[in-house]
Amino acid sequence: MEKQTLERNRNADDMSLAVSSMRQKFLEISYGGGKKQIEKVKAKKKLTARERIAYLLDEGSVFTEIGAFAGYGMYEKEGGCPAGGTVGGLGQVSGRLCVIVANDMTVKAGAWFPITGKKNLRLQEIAMENRLPVIYLVDSAGVYLPMQDEIFPDKEHFGRIFFNNARMSAMGITQISAVMGSCVAGGAYLPVMSDETLMVEGNGSIFLAGPYLVQAAIGEKADAENLGGAEMHTSLSGTADYKFPTDEACLDHIKKIISKIGKGEGAWLQRSDPQPPVKDPRTIYGIMPGDSTKPYDMLEIITRITDGSELDQFKQDYGKTILCGYARIDGWAVGIVANQRLAVKSARGEMQMGGVIYNDSADKAARFIMNCNQKKIPVVFLQDVTGFMVGSRSEQAGIIKDGAKLVNVVANSTVPKITLIIGNSYGAGNYALCGKAYDPRFIFAWPTAKIAVMGGEQAAKTLLQIQVNALKSQDKKITEADEKKLLEEIRERYERQASPYYAAARLWVDGLIDPLETRALVSRCLEAASHGPVPGEFRTGVIQV
C-alpha cells in the first residue's frame, strides 16, 4: 500500500509539472504580439481580442478556447503567430452557446498566416456541425502577403471562409460580424456575407483596397473614412447595418441580437440530472505514470469523470485491451471506448499487452460503436494506444481484417464523436480510435499526449538502420560513436514531432487541457453537439467478416 501511494504521488508530481509547463506556455501565448502591441491597441481606445470576448460572455460563464496553441513554435522567422493570430472558441452569450472568432490585431495587425486560415475554417466547421451561431469580431489586415501562396488559392485556404459563410447562411446558422478595426481586400466579404454587420466608428473600416493601393491603382486620393468608414457604410453604401462609438457599445448590441434568436429544434441528446463522480476527480493526476511505457488501469481514469464513477461495461470479459461501456458525464448519456493499459489475460489464457489493439478488442469496439449509433448515443474515445498487435499469430488471425472493420465503423459513425488523447496515439491506433482524420466532433489532448506513426525509440532505431545502410551502400564508414550520435539526433527530432505542442500547433487537436478539466470539457462538447441535427442512418458498406 505504501509503495502504491509513493507511485501515485510521483505520478501526481509528474502530471503537475506537465500541466504547469502547459499553463506557462499558454500565458505567453495570451499576450499575443506582446505588451508593446497591446499598448498601441489601448492608445486607439480599443479592447484586445481576449478582452472583447470576455466582455461579450455571460457573467460567470466559461470560454472553451479552440486552437490556443495554433502556430506554436511556427513562423519563427516572421516573429511567430501566437494562437494563429485568432482567438476563438465556444462561449455563452445571452444564454446561447455560440462560436466566437476574434482576430488578434496585436499579431501582425491581425494578418492571416496559413495556420490562421486553418484555425478559422476549423471554427466554422464546429459551427456547421453543431448548428451554433457565429460571432466574428473583425480586426485584420488581411492575408500575410509574404506567405500568400500558402493561404490564398487552394481549397482549404482563405477563400473557403467565404464559401462557408454562404453555406452556413443557407443552413440557417446565424452569423454576426462586428468590424472593430481593419477589414480589407478579400476579407471585406466576411462581414458583408454575415446576417448583420456592426461597425465601430473611427476604428472600423471595410474596403477592397486601402488609400495607398487606390492611389497607386487609379490615382485617386481618399482617406480610410471615405473609402470604408462606419459613417459611410451605414449612410451611403448600405453595407453595414449599425455603427457604435466604442467597442463596448458594439458588443452590447451583439448581446441584444443573440438574445432574440429563436431556439430552433432544441437539444436532442439524452441528459439527466448530473451526479458527481464518487471517486475524487482531484486524484486523477496520480493515475498515469510519467513514463508512458508503464501500465496503469484506464478504468481509474474513467471513473473520475463519469457520474457516480460508473461504467456499464459491454462484453467485459472479451477483448479486454479495449474498455467499452455506457455511462453519463455531467448527466449526458455517452458510450466510452478506451484502451486498457494493464496487461490482461485473454479467454484463451494468453497474456495481452496493455495499450495494444488485438483482434478480439477491435471486434468488440466495432460492435459497441454500432450499438451506440443504433441508440443515438454519442461516443467518447480515450486514447492511450500503441497500435495494433503485429506478428504471425495476429496476421493469421486476421488483425488487418478486424482492424479494418473497426476503422470502417468509426469512419461511418453518425453520432457525435469526442476524442481525448491522454497518452500515446501511435500508428493505425490513432485512426481506429477516432484521430483527427476520422472527423471527431471535438478532439483534445492532455499535456502527456504523444502523436506519431510509432514510438520514438522504435522509430529512431528504424530510421537509423535505414541511414546506416544507405551510408554503407556508398562505401562510407560509420563508427559506433557516429551511430550513437545519429541515433540521438533522430530520437530528439522524432520526440519533438510527437510532442502534444507540435500537434496542437498544427491543429491536429483542438487544444491541450488540464486532466482536471476533462469532465467539464466533455460536457461542454456534448452541449454543443446537442444543438446539431439528429444523426442520420448508420451504414458501413462492405466489411470483411
Side-chain angles (χ1 to χ4, degrees), residues 75 78 107-114 116 140-153 157-158 184-187 208-210 212-213:
Y75 314 116
E78 288 76 20
V107 180
K108 290 285 191 294
W112 288 55
F113 283 68
T116 314
S140 170
V143 167
Y144 182 62
L145 292 178
M147 304 184 79
Q148 63 86 26
D149 62 318
E150 297 180 51
I151 182 61
F152 169 65
H157 283 178
F158 189 64
V184 302
L208 293 179
Y212 296 119
L213 182 54

Side-chain angles (χ1 to χ4, degrees), residues 165-236:
N165 285 147
R167 293 292 299 275
M168 283 192 283
S169 185
M171 293 165 68
I173 296 172
T174 297
Q175 299 174 83
I176 307 297
S177 283
V179 180
M180 313 177 86
S182 296
C183 183
V184 302
Y189 290 104
L190 185 144
V192 182
M193 294 184 75
S194 298
D195 299 355
E196 296 186 69
T197 304
L198 300 76
M199 294 186 72
V200 176
E201 296 172 287
N203 286 324
S205 59
I206 306 173
F207 38 62
L208 293 179
Y212 296 119
L213 182 54
V214 167
Q215 186 172 1
I218 64 173
E220 179 188 350
K221 291 184 178 181
D223 60 31
E225 188 61 35
N226 286 328
L227 275 175
E231 178 66 31
M232 189 279 285
H233 277 310
T234 54
S235 63
L236 290 178

Side-chain angles (χ1 to χ4, degrees), residues 387-400:
F388 284 85
M389 189 58 192
V390 297
S392 58
R393 178 177 294 184
S394 290
E395 297 290 3
Q396 290 165 14
I399 188 65
I400 298 175

Side-chain angles (χ1 to χ4, degrees), residues 31 33 37 57 69 83 178 220 249 272 274 297 301 327 341 361 380 391 394 442 473 537 545:
Y31 285 110
Q37 293 300 321
L57 295 176
F69 285 88
E220 179 188 350
S272 63
D297 189 353
I301 299 283
R341 283 308 308 267
S361 51
V380 176
S394 290
F442 295 94
S473 69
E537 181 185 2
V545 295

Side-chain angles (χ1 to χ4, degrees), residues 64 66 122 284 288 296 298 301-302 304-306 329 334-339 341 379-385 416-426 429-430 432-436 439-451 500 508-526:
T64 304
I66 302 293
R122 173 61 182 144
I284 201 168
M288 178 187 286
Y296 63 91
M298 179 64 84
I301 299 283
I302 293 170
R304 280 161 177 79
I305 64 174
T306 59
I329 296 178
V334 297
I336 295 177
V337 178
N339 305 107
R341 283 308 308 267
V379 183
V380 176
F381 295 86
L382 293 173
Q383 283 197 19
D384 190 350
V385 57
K417 299 171 290 189
I418 297 167
T419 302
L420 295 161
I421 302 175
I422 70 172
N424 301 320
S425 181
Y426 294 155
N430 171 279
L433 294 182
C434 202
K436 182 69 172 180
D439 283 345
R441 194 69 66 94
F442 295 94
I443 177 168
F444 287 88
W446 287 7
T448 45
K450 292 182 179 181
I451 305 172
W508 300 346
V509 295
D510 290 324
L512 304 180
I513 64 165
D514 183 338
L516 289 172
E517 298 169 353
T518 303
R519 175 177 160 88
L521 176 81
V522 172
S523 178
R524 171 52 65 88
C525 294
L526 291 166

